[in-house]
Amino acid sequence: VGAADFAGLSDVSIAEDIPVEGDITVPLSSHGVDDEVSTLDEPVKDTILRDLRAVGQKFVHVMYPKESSALLRDWDLWGPLLLCVSLALMLQGSAADNQNDSGPQFAEVFVIIWFGSIIITLNSKLLGGTISFFQSLCVLGYCILPLTVAMLVCRLVLLGSAGSVSFIIRLVVVTASFCWSTFASTAFLADSQPPNRKALVVYPVFLFYFVIGWMILTFSPSH
């Protein structure tokens, strides 16, 4: 191959009717996007308030469950941590604790919630789910909100009396919260699972919230 073979390449031109694809222009709004994402120069107060608003919005999504990608797209673990700590603290001081029985301690509740969430997440991934590990933890953790509210209501009910009427009220509240938590979590996680394996994913979620609901229902304050 000599120089003469490439001599004609300079005469090659692109026909006018052939479109040339591509765009090498730089978007004018690129700096604005970087400024919105970067929080290095943002005051700590603004950062905390923004995170609290994001957590509050996720709480609203859980209380009004629908097919929304908010919990999956903007996942965080602050809300689940807050709910887990709150629920574990409210489950303290039971009569079973004072009798050295099998009453749930703070560490036990903490481990049950997080270990159960991890097992459900691994099960979802092994069954072919497309959701990420931390997204699943976020959804399962935020959906504890109805059960946490149920725990608060049960403690208020137990302040009055601990008779059969009190038990019926607590049973209704815990059952409704359990159903709400299960429904909310499956509403967010269903689309990320294969259609023929959704039941295998929902069943561990059912057991997970059932255990938490049982701990709430069987709670009795110490006197």
Side-chain angles (χ1 to χ4, degrees):
V1 179
D5 297 328
F6 297 97
L9 294 179
S10 61
D11 298 332
V12 177
S13 60
I14 301 175
E16 296 181 356
D17 57 343
I18 301 176
V20 179
E21 298 181 355
D23 186 7
I24 60 174
T25 60
V26 179
L28 297 177
S29 61
S30 60
H31 297 288
V33 174
D34 294 338
D35 293 339
E36 293 179 0
V37 175
S38 177
T39 58
L40 295 178
D41 299 330
E42 185 181 41
V44 177
K45 178 182 177 181
D46 295 342
T47 303
I48 294 176
L49 291 177
R50 188 185 68 252
D51 292 340
L52 290 177
R53 284 193 297 267
V55 171
Q57 291 175 357
K58 293 182 177 66
F59 284 161
V60 173
H61 285 302
V62 172
M63 298 309 296
Y64 298 95
K66 58 182 180 179
E67 295 183 1
S68 174
S69 59
L71 287 179
L72 302 179
R73 182 181 64 252
D74 303 323
W75 63 267
D76 67 80
L77 299 180
W78 289 113
L81 179 62
L82 176 63
L83 293 174
C84 179
V85 172
S86 300
L87 184 59
L89 289 175
M90 286 189 290
L91 282 170
Q92 299 307 296
S94 65
D97 294 339
N98 297 336
Q99 299 172 3
N100 295 324
D101 203 346
S102 57
Q105 300 293 330
F106 181 89
E108 293 174 353
V109 177
F110 202 86
V111 169
I112 288 173
I113 293 177
W114 286 103
F115 185 74
S117 299
I118 292 174
I119 293 299
I120 295 175
T121 300
L122 293 177
N123 176 70
S124 173
K125 296 296 292 183
L126 292 175
L127 291 175
T130 58
I131 191 173
S132 71
F133 182 83
F134 290 105
Q135 285 175 334
S136 180
L137 289 181
C138 173
V139 171
L140 293 171
Y142 269 102
C143 289
I144 300 177
L145 176 62
L147 289 169
T148 305
V149 175
M151 183 66 224
L152 179 60
V153 174
C154 289
R155 294 216 63 156
L156 294 177
V157 171
L158 288 171
L159 290 177
S161 63
S164 58
V165 176
S166 172
F167 177 78
I168 294 175
I169 295 175
R170 290 186 290 123
L171 178 61
V172 172
V173 172
V174 172
T175 302
S177 300
F178 159 72
C179 295
W180 200 283
S181 294
T182 305
F183 172 73
S185 60
T186 53
F188 291 114
L189 299 176
D191 292 338
S192 63
Q193 305 300 326
N196 58 340
R197 296 180 177 178
K198 289 184 178 181
L200 297 176
V201 176
V202 173
Y203 180 66
V205 175
F206 174 88
L207 291 179
F208 173 66
Y209 292 119
F210 178 82
V211 171
I212 299 176
W214 181 258
M215 290 191 299
I216 296 174
L217 183 61
T218 57
F219 172 82
S220 58
S222 59
H223 298 286

